[in-house]
Amino acid sequence: MQNSSGMHENEAAKSGRSSVFVVSARKRKLQKISQKSGEGTLLLIASFVAIVVLFIFWFVARDAVPYFRLRGFQEFFTSSEWYPADEPPRFGALAIIYGSIMVTLGSALIAVPMGVIASICLSDILPFTVRQYVKPVIEMLAAIPSVAYGFFALVVFAPLLQNVGGPILMWTWWVIAAPVLLLAVIVASELLTAPIEKEPKKKVLHLVSALFLGSLALLFLYFVGRHLQGLVIMSGTNALNVSIILSFMALPTIVSVSEDALQAVGRELREGSYALGATRAETIIKTVLPAASSGILAAVILGIMRALGETMVVWMASGNSSHIPDPFFNYLESIRTLTATIAGDMGEADQVTGSARFHVLFAMGLLLLVVSFVSNFISERIVVRQRKVLSGQ
Amino acid sequence: MKKYGSICSLLLVMTLCWAGSAEAAKAIVIDGSTTVGPIAKSFASYFMKKYQTPVTVSESGSGNGAKSLINGSCDIADMSRSMKPQEIAAAKAKGINPVASVVALDGLAMVVHPSNPVRNLTESQIADIYSGKIINWRQVGGASFPIVVIQRESNSGTQETFKELVMKGRQVVNSAETQASNGSVKNRVSQTRGAIGFIGLGYTDSLVKKVSVNGVTPSAATVNNHTYMLARELFMYTNGRPAGMVGRFVDLPKTLDGKRIIKELGFISKY
């Protein structure tokens, strides 16, 4: 067959340029078949991914429903008494749900500002050559296996927090808060004296307000720092430890995706902004960030999902005590998360002996699935709406 | 470790079911305690190598082991406690005569940070610490420092032993940290100044400090002569005096190799 078509092509070539694309009917049919089968294969593979998601939902839900049928909703969501092995067993997951929220929120508080600022720095401030080296290094954080993070958190970071936790917190506070407060003082004194017209008066008032606000800020820095230094961390496997480690795990996602979004804004908008007389700060804050906000939001949600779903680190380093810290925002107490509970109890809870005990883990899995599904859905909606606003519809 | 263990034993059971149906060799079926499980599994692999007799080990808890023995679905029931009177009655009603053989002794050591000056705790002090009534080392004669309570995950055999021997129905305070293995409890205790935890006697070393309980130092000797209270016997129950291959299996703890395996796993040999 190949021989005959080859001959055919030779003839076509001989007969002139215009008939080069003429193919035999048979070959055309073959082409069509291969095209269809290729498309079909791609569709099959693509739909397989979607079907897997549906199947996961279905199987998790199928094993989660018996729990609620056996024990109802009230205990699971309102009690923080988690004693699955006691007689009678109690399955109050409130403290565990709260633990998940706590570390997710904690890691978001660290990772989101840090990630967004880092991505702005990468895309708008650093020169191109530096960026080319820095971005891969940040993205390398994502390549470290989570068990390695967990090991670090448990063996290195936890003892460190126990031994010198106070000073570490104090220095971190100074390093982060001092420049931020300095910037805030400068901007605030500028804004305060902006309405004043007269020149010498303005200069003096500017100086006075800057000094006043500056000393206030310094006092604030000092007292918070002293309080932090005085803290004694009883156990290093706590919510703070996990939040910090999780934030580092979420960082590469946030930085990488939001940097891409900032890059996608393009030269035209930036140059337009500069042409209107805007400074670089104004361009970044008022033009680039709003234009990239949907992408940044998607990055943030991806990062938060990473923190919520992480298992190994929290299982190793959160302490796994199923109680709500006292006071509720005390990040220095150990907590337990949904993911860690599923990982830790699954091996022990077999289907035959404790059916509620087995199914309660699936209830937790379903809860996690629903939360990530809903937040993905919301972010999708926000992105769509943002796009509409930006395109002027 | 336990997870992998149960997966391994599952695989073992599956391959053996297949092998069993193919060769129709009479396999020894073992079911029961998760605490005795590691010993049974090590014995099983040793036994299969030595006598070419397949052994299947499942771990479903002491109560289920007893149930399987009564129903005649296993040859040996691993149990980390002795059979209750009603279980024995149920067995007798079905014509089964449960006979206990001691496999090994299991001792728990209460451990604290090496810098902790506390040397002895009474049973009730330990129970008070774990139920959240005592929260500072000062209350038990130590320095004024908050206690960090470390326990094992809810269904570990060690945790069960502890709850049974010390807590006696009282509830462990829910702020207690939970660790997945003897090793990680030891690791946390060795690094945390205020920590207290319990680990199998075989796991203790100089990184942590063993505390005497009711004035008795934990050791193989005090476990053996029943003066140390945080210890218990581990059993294998059989139907009548074990004979044949089952008898040989149950007698493994008395052999040199059996003693070595028991010691390697961190338990204490009785013989």
Side-chain angles (χ1 to χ4, degrees):
Chain A
M1 188 200 81
Q2 202 180 1
N3 197 12
S4 76
S5 71
M7 267 166 63
H8 190 84
E9 267 167 22
N10 274 346
E11 281 167 29
K14 267 180 220 157
S15 66
R17 279 185 80 113
S18 62
S19 55
V20 159
F21 297 110
V22 173
V23 216
S24 72
R26 196 175 166 186
K27 194 170 183 187
R28 202 158 30 196
K29 209 173 158 190
L30 255 173
Q31 260 181 352
K32 211 168 177 181
I33 289 170
S34 62
Q35 189 191 346
K36 284 279 175 241
S37 65
E39 280 173 2
T41 314
L42 290 184
L43 183 72
L44 198 73
I45 291 170
S47 50
F48 180 71
V49 177
I51 288 169
V52 164
V53 173
L54 285 180
F55 263 83
I56 289 174
F57 237 105
W58 161 246
F59 279 111
V60 171
R62 204 188 56 171
D63 270 323
V65 168
Y67 170 75
F68 293 115
R69 217 176 268 153
L70 277 168
R71 315 270 312 186
F73 287 94
Q74 206 201 340
E75 186 189 32
F76 187 78
F77 288 108
T78 59
S79 157
S80 54
E81 299 273 296
W82 176 256
Y83 292 100
D86 277 20
E87 203 56 52
R90 270 156 298 159
F91 300 104
L94 182 66
I96 298 173
I97 295 169
Y98 182 75
S100 268
I101 295 172
M102 201 166 163
V103 290
T104 309
L105 203 71
S107 60
L109 279 177
I110 303 169
V112 170
M114 222 160 131
V116 172
I117 288 171
S119 64
I120 291 171
C121 179
L122 278 175
S123 86
D124 279 69
I125 291 164
L126 287 182
F128 183 71
T129 44
V130 180
R131 184 170 80 221
Q132 271 186 316
Y133 291 106
V134 174
K135 204 180 172 192
V137 171
I138 292 178
E139 281 168 351
M140 214 152 75
L141 280 176
I144 300 173
S146 59
V147 68
Y149 279 106
F151 193 70
F152 174 81
L154 181 64
V155 174
V156 180
F157 199 47
L160 206 65
L161 275 180
Q162 280 163 197
N163 297 333
V164 284
I168 287 180
L169 288 179
M170 183 196 70
W171 283 110
T172 321
W173 163 253
W174 274 95
V175 167
I176 293 173
V180 171
L181 279 174
L182 182 69
L183 202 69
V185 165
I186 292 170
V187 172
S189 57
E190 198 82 44
L191 286 177
L192 272 177
T193 52
I196 299 163
E197 299 280 322
K198 265 186 175 169
E199 203 29 70
K201 196 181 165 193
K202 179 174 182 162
K203 218 170 195 172
V204 171
L205 271 175
H206 189 201
L207 197 72
V208 167
S209 65
L211 277 176
F212 178 68
L213 287 173
S215 49
L216 267 187
L218 211 62
L219 276 177
F220 179 62
L221 269 175
Y222 173 74
F223 280 111
V224 173
R226 208 177 65 167
H227 175 70
L228 286 175
Q229 194 184 15
L231 282 179
V232 175
I233 299 177
M234 296 312 311
S235 171
T237 49
N238 54 27
L240 179 72
N241 182 337
V242 173
S243 297
I244 291 173
I245 302 292
L246 284 185
S247 73
F248 278 103
M249 298 176 75
L251 261 182
T253 317
I254 297 179
V255 172
S256 178
V257 177
S258 54
E259 204 261 352
D260 287 343
L262 289 169
Q263 284 292 306
V265 169
R267 267 185 103 90
E268 297 86 348
L269 270 180
R270 290 188 173 88
E271 279 169 359
S273 174
Y274 288 133
L276 290 171
T279 62
R280 184 145 88 166
E282 282 169 332
T283 305
I284 290 172
I285 293 168
K286 292 185 175 165
T287 310
V288 181
L289 277 181
S293 61
S294 62
I296 291 175
L297 188 83
V300 166
I301 287 186
L302 273 177
I304 289 176
M305 286 299 110
R306 177 94 174 88
L308 179 69
E310 174 51 39
T311 307
M312 207 59 217
V313 169
V314 285
W315 173 231
M316 290 170 88
S318 70
N320 296 311
S321 57
S322 50
H323 74 137
I324 294 176
D326 175 42
F328 67 91
F329 51 83
N330 189 352
Y331 270 84
L332 302 179
E333 280 190 31
S334 87
I335 47 90
R336 189 183 183 103
T337 69
L338 290 168
T339 49
T341 306
I342 295 173
D345 283 9
M346 190 49 102
E348 306 289 351
D350 66 319
Q351 308 174 40
V352 195
T353 50
S355 62
R357 189 169 175 207
F358 175 75
H359 292 301
V360 73
L361 300 179
F362 280 88
M364 291 177 162
L366 185 68
L367 188 66
L368 280 171
L369 260 181
V370 168
V371 167
S372 57
F373 184 76
V374 166
S375 58
N376 262 353
F377 183 74
I378 290 173
S379 75
E380 201 79 19
R381 300 292 308 173
I382 293 176
V383 168
V384 168
R385 196 189 298 164
Q386 190 71 21
R387 223 169 260 156
K388 270 187 191 158
V389 170
L390 282 176
S391 59
Q393 280 171 356
Chain B
M1 280 308 287
K2 209 159 253 170
K3 256 164 266 163
Y4 294 127
S6 53
I7 290 167
C8 286
S9 60
L10 192 73
L11 283 176
L12 200 70
V13 170
M14 277 160 65
T15 44
L16 285 172
C17 283
W18 176 75
S21 60
E23 292 172 28
K26 178 85 177 72
I28 301 176
V29 181
I30 303 176
D31 193 5
S33 161
T34 52
T35 315
V36 192
I39 301 180
K41 268 184 256 172
S42 300
F43 278 5
S45 61
Y46 170 79
F47 204 71
M48 280 188 274
K49 245 183 250 156
K50 198 164 175 193
Y51 299 106
Q52 273 80 43
T53 305
V55 181
T56 75
V57 180
S58 17
E59 298 180 358
S60 55
S62 296
N64 277 289
K67 227 178 270 169
S68 322
L69 187 73
I70 294 165
N71 295 334
S73 55
C74 74
D75 302 311
I76 301 172
D78 290 341
M79 294 190 67
S80 53
R81 54 170 170 83
S82 21
M83 267 204 189
K84 293 173 188 161
Q86 52 279 38
E87 285 168 337
I88 293 174
K92 290 266 157 72
K94 286 209 168 190
I96 291 191
N97 175 30
V99 173
S101 318
V102 176
V103 185
L105 301 170
D106 183 21
L108 281 190
M110 301 303 304
V111 289
V112 296
H113 192 260
S115 75
N116 196 326
V118 172
R119 291 172 133 184
N120 179 53
L121 290 170
T122 65
E123 191 188 329
S124 66
Q125 279 175 331
I126 299 172
D128 283 347
I129 288 172
Y130 271 84
S131 58
K133 218 171 128 193
I134 293 178
I135 54 167
N136 197 303
W137 283 110
R138 195 184 49 219
Q139 291 165 277
V140 290
S144 174
F145 206 72
I147 300 177
V148 176
V149 178
I150 299 178
Q151 63 169 348
R152 289 285 302 282
E153 61 191 294
S154 54
N155 206 16
S156 108
T158 316
Q159 174 86 358
E160 235 171 78
T161 315
F162 178 79
K163 267 161 58 179
E164 188 186 309
L165 294 176
V166 180
M167 301 309 285
K168 301 202 172 97
R170 285 170 80 180
Q171 192 169 286
V172 176
V173 66
N174 63 3
S175 63
E177 284 190 24
T178 310
Q179 291 294 332
S181 64
N182 277 303
S184 58
V185 171
K186 193 183 87 181
N187 174 37
R188 289 296 302 143
V189 171
S190 70
Q191 288 169 345
T192 310
R193 203 184 135 195
I196 183 169
F198 48 86
I199 56 180
L201 255 187
Y203 287 91
T204 54
D205 59 22
S206 60
L207 289 175
V208 289
K209 182 175 153 187
K210 284 186 279 186
V211 177
S212 326
V213 179
N214 292 340
V216 183
T217 332
S219 71
T222 52
V223 167
N224 239 332
N225 65 20
H226 301 284
T227 48
Y228 185 65
M229 57 116 4
L230 276 180
R232 61 175 171 178
E233 291 178 319
L234 304 175
F235 304 100
M236 285 185 180
Y237 274 86
T238 47
N239 178 17
R241 272 273 137 234
M245 279 302 173
V246 175
R248 262 190 207 158
F249 192 90
V250 170
D251 281 342
L252 270 182
K254 291 175 186 159
T255 66
L256 269 179
D257 285 332
K259 284 181 197 169
R260 178 182 51 80
I261 292 171
I262 287 170
K263 206 177 169 201
E264 271 170 11
L265 291 169
F267 295 94
I268 295 152
S269 173
K270 198 194 172 174
Y271 303 100

